Amino acid sequence: MLAFVIRRLAQAVMVMLAVGLIAFSLFRFVGDPVVFMLGQDATPEDRTRMTQMLGLDQPFYVQYANFVVRAAQGEFGLSLRQIRPVKTLIIERLPATLELSFVAGLFALVVGIALGVYTALRRGSWISHVFLAVSLIGVSLPTFLIGILLILVFAVLLGWLPSFGRGDTVAIGWWTSGFFTASGLKALILPAITLGLFQMTLIQRLVRSEMLEVLRTDYIKFARARGLTDSAVHFGHALKNTLVPVITITGLQLGAIIAFAIITETVFQWPGMGLLFIQAVNFADVPVMAAYLCLTALFFVIINLVVDLLYYAVDPRLRIDRTIAAH
Amino acid sequence: MSTAAPLLEVRNLRVEFPTRRRTLVAVDDVSFGIAPGEVLGVVGESGAGKSLTGMAIIGLLEPPGRIAAGEVRLEGRRIDNLPREELRRIRGRRIGAIFQDPLTSLNPLYTIGEQLVETVLTHLPVRAAEARERALSLLAEVGIPAPEQRIDHYPHQFSGGMRQRVVIALAIAAEPQLVVADEPTTALDVSIQAQIITLLKRLARDRGTAVMLITHDMGVIAETADRVAVMYAGRLAEIGPVRDIIHQPRHPYTVGLMHSIPRVGNQRDRLAQIEGSMPRLTAIPAGCAFNPRCPQRFARCTETRPELFAAGATRAACWLFSDGG
């Protein structure tokens, strides 16, 4: 178990170093920063001085090492657009994105599993067919279109929910939260549904097909033969056996939710990292782009690690096992 | 027929599978009884309807399969038409079940102790601690060594034979009066098979549990059963005491079946075999289902289906015995 965790951690560090290399390359390949900062008309002397000042005359690997050391401390330099530390910008924006992703993920997981179980158990009913048809729409429609449709219906036509922004937030230390105000919660609903809908339908379909498969197994039949109640059979025995693939997909999709929050945040003008990133791309704000890249990679790596550990918790067959089957 | 009031009585049971084109009859007009503490062996080839009969008794036919006619009585009370929830209470509590493959019968994500305790708590009014005590004694009873340690192990930590012992412990956990054992030894090594059969026999005797032992293995039947029911193409061909079925079978199909079993000391080069094969459910012939393969067929066999006639010590569904054997 410990060896497994250490091995996984080592792999995670390798992944982060590789992503760091790509982020680092951004600085070199997205235009020459010296030209960018001094303009076309600078003298060669000015350029040389600037190059030395920025440390760009040093060998590639020294620059990369410096970048890694600073990145590990969260330092990605100044935003070229806002002339403020990237770290500060990210910290300002991180809570908005994480709260949105969390609610979207929760929505996807809870509603997805509930609908998946329902459509598996009531296979023939017309409600199941309706859910499946709706889920097909959820899978097929692009996120921005769903967001715009939701805004049209619930914000413009019905006027129930706000069409943009985060509402009022409460500051808890450096973290700003929308969970504690009515307007903050109302503002979360539409973006969270937009962001989580695709994942929700994915989880619903996955849970449904896994459930149908598990319900055909011998141990489910035997559980029924033992006279267990339907709810014990369905939830205690069947649902638990569908969890390993569901955890895998949910984990990967949670990373995707954070990464693809960009589109939802743009549609709803949500003041999160995705919006920050889009603005940075428009402006070729390389430090912000690099920081965003590294941070997103970090989320993926952490989520994957957690998923691997959850397998262990759910499936005893994966646990390292010194007991040999006795005859 | 045993004289004691039957524990289980199956009367004119008919199991159908409606398909798009036509309705297939998988079990056709089958009647038999099982006395308390009796072991009834049910033999037949694959597809003869023996497992479906067992599933119909415990109410676990998989849709679209359904009981189309007949009845199943437990201690005189009809159980085939009970509401789902009442039937569930009977399963495990009054009729236990053992399935063929012990490797897949246990839920891999729970320890065997959890599964035993769950079963006990479902049916009996005991506390969790008592249920665990009971689980321990059940494991000891089915011959799991060191139950105190093994109870917290997961199914994958047991061998096939040990898992079948756990399955048996689960089947008898709430002390049912009848256990339906569907091919309990088929998936096991031959050496393990004997142990499991011995165990089943001992449990049935010690606890007075009746067993419906479904198998295609005549050796297992000879060793275990008190009476034998032979099924062919969804119908009962012959039923009677195990000694008579083995040594003096009456129905031509049973006769063929017995001759096709290799015996030690038999010097023949070739085993006798019954020509042809069992008909599919879509093409069961008119009259006696066995008539196309029967060496003693006569005109009546192809026209009218025979009922069970007394034939010596057994009862056989064959026109040869219509005059009283």
Side-chain angles (χ1 to χ4, degrees):
Chain A
M1 181 72 185
L2 189 66
F4 170 81
V5 174
I6 290 171
R7 203 165 61 239
R8 278 300 151 98
L9 278 175
Q11 285 171 357
V13 170
M14 294 307 290
V15 169
M16 287 312 296
L17 283 176
V19 173
L21 188 60
I22 296 168
F24 171 67
S25 324
L26 279 179
F27 287 94
R28 301 177 65 90
F29 297 123
V30 184
D32 184 345
V34 176
V35 175
F36 197 79
M37 291 173 89
L38 295 180
Q40 296 284 330
D41 304 330
T43 61
E45 291 78 32
D46 282 343
R47 285 187 194 173
T48 315
R49 209 170 56 240
M50 195 65 179
T51 308
Q52 278 169 358
M53 210 176 86
L54 292 174
L56 294 176
D57 56 338
Q58 287 173 331
F60 167 80
Y61 53 88
V62 176
Q63 289 185 40
Y64 175 54
N66 284 335
F67 170 81
V68 168
V69 170
R70 282 158 51 77
Q73 295 161 349
E75 298 292 345
F76 286 88
L78 291 176
S79 157
L80 302 182
R81 188 170 73 103
Q82 306 195 28
I83 323 294
R84 293 171 61 200
V86 174
K87 193 178 179 179
T88 320
L89 288 176
I90 296 270
I91 284 177
E92 277 173 14
R93 300 297 193 102
L94 192 61
T97 294
L98 286 188
E99 284 189 354
L100 175 62
S101 306
F102 173 75
V103 174
L106 201 66
F107 159 74
L109 199 61
V110 171
V111 180
I113 289 181
L115 290 186
V117 170
Y118 182 88
T119 48
L121 294 181
R122 302 259 180 282
R123 198 160 23 140
S125 84
W126 64 271
I127 298 181
S128 294
H129 289 298
V130 171
F131 282 144
L132 283 177
V134 170
S135 80
L136 201 61
I137 297 172
V139 171
S140 333
L141 276 186
T143 309
F144 65 87
L145 197 60
I146 291 170
I148 291 168
L149 285 176
L150 286 178
I151 288 175
L152 179 67
V153 175
F154 292 100
V156 179
L157 295 179
L158 297 172
W160 292 349
L161 298 165
S163 61
F164 71 95
R166 248 191 121 182
D168 297 327
T169 56
V170 176
I172 305 165
W174 57 271
W175 187 282
T176 57
S177 175
F179 285 161
F180 303 103
T181 63
S183 73
L185 288 174
K186 272 170 90 173
L188 261 171
I189 296 173
L190 290 186
I193 291 176
T194 307
L195 185 55
L197 193 66
F198 178 80
Q199 275 72 21
M200 186 275 276
T201 53
L202 203 68
I203 291 172
Q204 178 199 337
R205 289 175 162 266
L206 181 74
V207 169
R208 176 178 179 271
S209 64
E210 290 290 328
M211 271 295 266
L212 287 177
E213 196 149 306
V214 170
L215 285 174
R216 276 196 292 269
T217 58
D218 283 355
Y219 55 81
I220 292 300
K221 203 171 170 192
F222 188 56
R224 289 194 203 285
R226 286 190 273 145
L228 303 185
T229 59
D230 279 351
S231 62
V233 172
H234 293 156
F235 298 102
H237 287 264
L239 185 60
K240 194 174 176 188
N241 272 283
T242 67
L243 283 186
V244 166
V246 171
I247 287 171
T248 314
I249 297 296
T250 307
L252 294 175
Q253 292 300 320
L254 197 62
I257 282 181
I258 294 171
F260 297 130
I262 296 173
I263 296 166
T264 307
E265 289 185 3
T266 309
V267 172
F268 287 92
Q269 287 299 299
W270 189 262
M273 291 198 312
L275 201 58
L276 181 72
F277 177 72
I278 286 289
Q279 287 159 356
V281 169
N282 287 335
F283 211 80
D285 195 343
V286 177
V288 173
M289 286 157 65
Y292 180 82
L293 190 62
C294 289
L295 198 62
T296 308
L298 185 63
F299 283 140
F300 266 94
V301 164
I302 291 172
I303 288 166
N304 276 334
L305 201 60
V306 171
V307 164
D308 283 339
L309 294 179
L310 277 180
Y311 286 166
Y312 267 59
V314 170
D315 196 335
R317 285 167 294 187
L318 299 175
R319 289 174 210 155
I320 294 164
D321 197 345
R322 283 176 202 84
T323 331
I324 297 150
H327 285 264
Chain B
M1 201 65 181
S2 99
T3 47
L7 169 72
L8 181 88
E9 209 178 353
V10 175
R11 274 191 212 153
N12 308 107
L13 182 72
R14 183 182 171 94
V15 174
E16 290 182 350
F17 282 82
T19 65
R20 200 162 293 181
R21 286 218 209 115
R22 52 179 294 187
T23 297
L24 300 178
V25 182
V27 177
D28 192 358
D29 201 16
V30 166
S31 303
F32 60 88
I34 303 179
E38 181 186 47
V39 178
L40 175 75
V42 180
V43 284
E45 301 166 45
S46 311
K50 41 190 206 307
S51 290
L52 284 172
T53 306
M55 289 301 122
I57 290 169
I58 60 175
L60 284 180
L61 282 175
E62 281 179 31
R66 62 190 184 91
I67 296 178
E71 50 186 56
V72 179
R73 285 175 183 271
L74 187 68
E75 291 186 321
R77 181 171 162 235
R78 266 189 88 164
I79 58 167
D80 57 289
N81 56 358
L82 286 181
R84 219 178 131 74
E85 174 62 17
E86 275 185 60
L87 194 56
R88 174 189 75 70
R89 281 181 221 269
I90 287 176
R91 278 199 298 269
R93 178 70 190 86
R94 305 190 58 195
I95 307 180
I98 300 168
F99 292 156
Q100 178 169 347
D101 190 351
L103 300 184
T104 56
S105 289
L106 300 168
N107 189 329
L109 301 189
Y110 293 100
T111 65
I112 60 164
E114 285 166 345
Q115 301 187 44
L116 275 163
V117 167
E118 180 184 34
T119 312
V120 172
L121 288 179
T122 302
H123 295 294
L124 303 177
V126 295
R127 290 166 181 280
E130 289 172 62
R132 192 179 160 88
E133 284 303 312
R134 206 185 171 86
L136 284 170
S137 69
L138 280 165
L139 289 177
E141 199 176 342
V142 297
I144 305 270
E148 295 81 8
Q149 291 145 41
R150 299 297 266 167
I151 190 170
D152 293 320
H153 285 180
Y154 289 93
H156 71 275
Q157 294 166 298
F158 291 83
S159 65
M162 282 295 153
R163 281 194 227 184
Q164 194 63 308
R165 288 171 189 265
V166 174
V167 168
I168 292 172
L170 280 162
I172 61 171
E175 303 193 337
Q177 297 140 293
L178 172 70
V179 170
V180 176
D182 188 0
E183 305 267 6
T185 58
T186 308
L188 301 172
D189 287 347
V190 177
S191 56
I192 312 288
Q193 284 184 6
Q195 296 176 12
I196 294 296
I197 285 301
T198 311
L199 173 67
L200 261 181
K201 246 167 95 174
R202 178 167 63 76
L203 288 173
R205 199 184 53 228
D206 294 354
R207 295 172 156 257
T209 311
V211 179
M212 177 176 167
L213 180 63
I214 300 164
T215 180
H216 58 258
D217 186 339
M218 277 310 297
V220 168
I221 292 285
E223 200 150 320
T224 323
D226 300 315
R227 284 193 308 132
V228 184
V230 181
M231 288 190 71
Y232 184 83
R235 302 170 183 183
L236 211 52
E238 186 166 5
I239 182 164
V242 62
R243 172 177 289 272
D244 300 277
I245 293 281
I246 289 176
H247 296 295
Q248 284 178 298
R250 302 302 174 118
H251 194 289
Y253 173 65
T254 322
V255 173
L257 201 61
M258 294 304 147
H259 282 158
S260 63
I261 297 169
R263 283 170 216 274
V264 178
N266 192 330
Q267 292 299 316
R268 273 190 300 183
D269 290 339
R270 287 177 59 107
L271 284 170
Q273 60 175 22
I274 310 171
E275 293 297 323
S277 57
M278 199 171 71
R280 293 161 181 243
L281 291 181
T282 48
I284 293 177
C288 173
F290 186 62
N291 83 67
R293 303 170 70 189
C294 185
Q296 306 187 53
R297 172 184 55 189
F298 51 97
R300 199 170 186 186
C301 303
T302 57
E303 289 157 8
T304 323
R305 182 179 160 183
E307 54 190 282
L308 283 173
F309 300 109
T314 76
R315 293 180 339 124
C318 177
W319 287 121
L320 290 173
F321 308 101
S322 61
D323 55 1

